[in-house]
Amino acid sequence: MEDQYHIIVVGGGTSGLMAAIQAAQQGAKVLIVEKNPVLGRKILLSGGGRCNVTNNTSLEQLIRHIPGNGAFLYGALSQFDQHAIIEFFQSLGVLLKEEDHGRMFPVTDRARTIVDALIDELDRLGVDYMTRTSVADIILEDDQVKGIITASGKTYCAKSVILSVGGRAYPRTGSSGDGYAWVRKAGHSVTRLYATESPLLSKDPFIVRRDLQGVSLRDVQITAWTSNQRIITQHRLDMIFTHFGFSGPAILRTSGHVNQYLYQSQESEVTLTIDLRPDQSVDELKAEAEKERDRQVSTIVRQWVPERLALFILKALDISPTTLYRQLTHGRVDDLMERLKGFPMTTTGSQPIEKGFVTGGGVNTDEVNPSTMASKKIQGLYLTGELLDINGYTGGYNITAAFVTGAVAGRHAAWNSF
Ligand SMILES: Cc1cc2nc3c(=O)[nH]c(=O)nc-3n(C[C@H](O)[C@H](O)[C@H](O)COP(=O)(O)OP(=O)(O)OC[C@H]3O[C@@H](n4cnc5c(N)ncnc54)[C@H](O)[C@@H]3O)c2cc1C
């Protein structure tokens, strides 16, 4: 049967839409097959519905913020990087703005703007897409991909197939892990899947009692520790106490590392500490308090941390809030400082992968050409996005990885298909 398309892109999500556009811009005839009724469903949810399209940062910082195999992306980023993403959207008439930590959003603050622009470009380029169509399998013959079979049994053939089906996080957006069986069949290995960018669970009595539920902390430093007091990971951002444990950007960044450590060490929990005043040393805090030594200790601590946390800390240390600072012994002051610089808590790991924002693990990147995203096992097969063993922190890094791998796969698949 003659190929109807040069390229079939399986999955009309972040990386698949970019792959299709880049391939079509090279002149390829492209079909996208998407099981959802609409394209780009995860993009619509991303960045709190505003879509954090990329991060306006340096190459080194970008790679550093992709702890899951970021270095694999050097080859792709030399062809299409975070600045190319910004220019790409500008060329589609989408204006972007930069927010804190380099995060880039559409000026409309609507993810819909991004999805609409991508769909308009697909239409302009004449890309075909079928929604409500689930792919059941890929067709392989003599180490070559031949096409796909849909769940209703229809076959579509093409010279190249780009798998952009995502990982397993947030399956209600369509990324339910369908791709792993296909790539295994194609001879690829899939590294252990685990939740990243996921809230952390805790059985600490103060969490169970919900003493601090809803208390949020700005710009604190979270450290996760091994059982022999080595740092697993450290992040300075905001966090929040919840009814099940901890969440917020600093915790999300910590979560994948904690999950990996728990798996590798076979331990049941990890100790975390919060430095509630990361810009001040203990001596500086003591000097500041000393200037107000005739005031109540609760008044002083409330200047440093939210009131509920201040009262919680004093209660835990058995210090009456009405005690004057000067009445505290040196030992008690040291206890207080220790809590402020290293508020202790434990976690048993994160919420499951389905509730995390990003999948850790995926197709082994050693088996994928880093300059083209082509499979090293099957000719004509390309792999993009979260299906690969690549994961980044929130802040635009995952969407960047998806767009970059998608763009490179699309271009190379096109050049290889004529
Ligand atoms: C709530 C949320 C918020 C996020 N916010 C951000 C953010 O602000 N910044 C950031 O960088 N990252 C964010 N992320 C992560 C980021 O969205 C993903 O890493 C990225 O979208 C992955 O792109 P992808 O192309 O690999 O997969 P997806 O975008 O998930 O696309 C996969 C597509 O394949 C389709 N599909 C799957 N199986 C089949 C099949 N059998 N047949 C046909 N189609 C199929 C799916 O329906 C889906 O449309 C967020 C994630 C979530 C869940």
Side-chain angles (χ1 to χ4, degrees):
M1 185 170 146
E2 209 181 300
D3 294 348
Q4 297 137 294
Y5 294 96
H6 293 119
I7 298 168
I8 295 171
V9 178
V10 184
T14 315
S15 64
L17 295 177
M18 182 60 90
I21 287 172
Q22 295 290 333
Q25 284 180 348
Q26 305 304 312
K29 183 91 186 105
V30 184
L31 169 69
I32 301 174
V33 188
E34 166 57 54
K35 72 173 168 191
N36 284 329
V38 291
L39 299 174
R41 182 171 269 178
K42 197 172 265 185
I43 300 178
L44 291 174
L45 282 186
S46 69
R50 299 196 301 134
C51 188
N52 180 190
V53 274
T54 190
N55 196 294
N56 191 16
T57 187
S58 65
L59 179 64
E60 291 70 32
Q61 284 300 322
L62 182 72
I63 301 286
R64 272 196 50 194
H65 286 76
I66 304 181
N69 287 315
F72 170 78
L73 294 174
Y74 274 118
L77 285 163
S78 68
Q79 302 165 65
F80 191 87
D81 63 6
Q82 65 279 25
H83 307 300
I85 293 173
I86 296 170
E87 281 160 25
F88 169 81
F89 280 106
Q90 272 165 355
S91 77
L92 301 188
V94 176
L95 292 181
L96 303 177
K97 59 175 172 172
E98 183 171 338
E99 295 194 358
D100 57 340
H101 305 287
R103 297 179 307 149
M104 300 297 294
F105 293 89
V107 292
T108 57
D109 279 330
R110 291 178 72 230
R112 165 62 57 201
T113 305
I114 297 295
V115 174
D116 284 349
L118 292 169
I119 294 175
D120 286 349
E121 183 64 1
L122 292 175
D123 290 339
R124 190 185 72 81
L125 293 163
V127 172
D128 285 345
Y129 42 91
M130 293 190 296
T131 53
R132 299 179 199 272
T133 310
S134 189
V135 169
D137 210 347
I138 52 175
I139 304 167
L140 306 174
E141 252 176 55
D142 303 328
D143 292 338
Q144 258 203 317
V145 72
K146 292 288 174 190
I148 57 137
I149 306 174
T150 68
S152 62
K154 272 193 153 179
T155 299
Y156 295 86
C157 296
K159 184 123 190 253
S160 301
V161 171
I162 302 178
L163 292 185
S164 304
V165 287
R168 258 186 50 200
Y170 258 65
R172 69 190 163 91
T173 61
S175 55
S176 47
D178 300 3
Y180 302 122
W182 311 334
V183 293
R184 283 197 181 102
K185 192 182 81 168
H188 282 283
S189 54
V190 176
T191 60
R192 190 181 74 89
L193 304 179
Y194 61 97
T196 71
E197 304 304 300
S198 184
L200 289 174
L201 305 169
S202 177
K203 291 183 187 149
D204 287 346
F206 76 94
I207 293 294
V208 175
R209 288 194 308 264
R210 304 187 175 198
D211 289 344
L212 295 175
Q213 182 181 346
V215 172
S216 59
L217 305 174
R218 289 195 63 79
D219 197 22
V220 290
Q221 179 146 291
I222 306 291
T223 308
W225 300 91
T226 65
S227 49
N228 53 4
Q229 299 300 305
R230 303 246 295 256
I231 293 175
I232 300 170
T233 190
Q234 197 164 55
H235 298 285
R236 187 167 166 180
L237 279 168
D238 301 348
M239 71 156 279
I240 185 167
F241 294 96
T242 69
H243 59 288
F244 55 75
F246 324 109
S247 192
I251 295 295
L252 296 182
R253 285 195 182 184
T254 305
S255 64
H257 300 280
V258 163
N259 285 339
Q260 285 287 66
Y261 175 76
L262 286 173
Y263 176 75
Q264 280 154 10
S265 68
Q266 293 296 299
E267 288 165 18
S268 56
E269 57 181 35
V270 164
T271 298
L272 304 171
T273 53
I274 313 173
D275 185 342
L276 295 158
R277 303 292 297 171
D279 286 329
Q280 282 174 296
S281 66
V282 167
D283 286 345
E284 285 166 342
L285 287 173
K286 282 183 182 172
E288 199 174 308
E290 201 50 47
K291 285 187 204 146
E292 302 184 272
R293 62 195 313 273
D294 293 328
R295 301 185 80 177
Q296 290 184 351
V297 65
S298 58
T299 309
I300 295 173
V301 179
R302 273 193 341 238
Q303 294 169 11
W304 293 331
V305 302
E307 181 166 6
R308 272 174 69 200
L309 181 58
L311 296 176
F312 176 84
I313 289 174
L314 294 176
K315 192 171 170 203
L317 293 173
D318 214 11
I319 298 173
S320 161
T322 55
T323 309
L324 302 182
Y325 184 78
R326 69 175 150 79
Q327 292 173 320
L328 294 178
T329 63
H330 287 309
R332 300 271 62 198
V333 169
D334 286 342
D335 292 343
L336 179 60
M337 295 303 156
E338 198 181 305
R339 289 289 159 120
L340 291 167
K341 293 296 288 177
F343 181 89
M345 52 200 200
T346 61
T347 174
T348 53
S350 79
Q351 288 196 324
I353 202 163
E354 290 74 16
K355 292 201 173 165
F357 287 149
V358 183
T359 310
V363 175
N364 190 335
T365 50
D366 290 344
E367 300 162 0
V368 178
N369 182 329
S371 302
T372 62
M373 298 302 132
S375 159
K376 290 182 183 171
K377 306 275 179 190
I378 298 289
Q379 228 187 318
L381 187 66
Y382 294 78
L383 306 139
T384 70
E386 228 176 281
L387 175 63
L388 293 164
D389 181 6
I390 296 173
N391 60 275
Y393 295 137
T394 51
Y397 301 102
N398 292 291
I399 291 189
T400 300
F403 279 148
V404 167
T405 53
V408 167
R411 288 177 184 176
H412 287 273
W415 296 332
N416 218 24
S417 298
F418 302 129

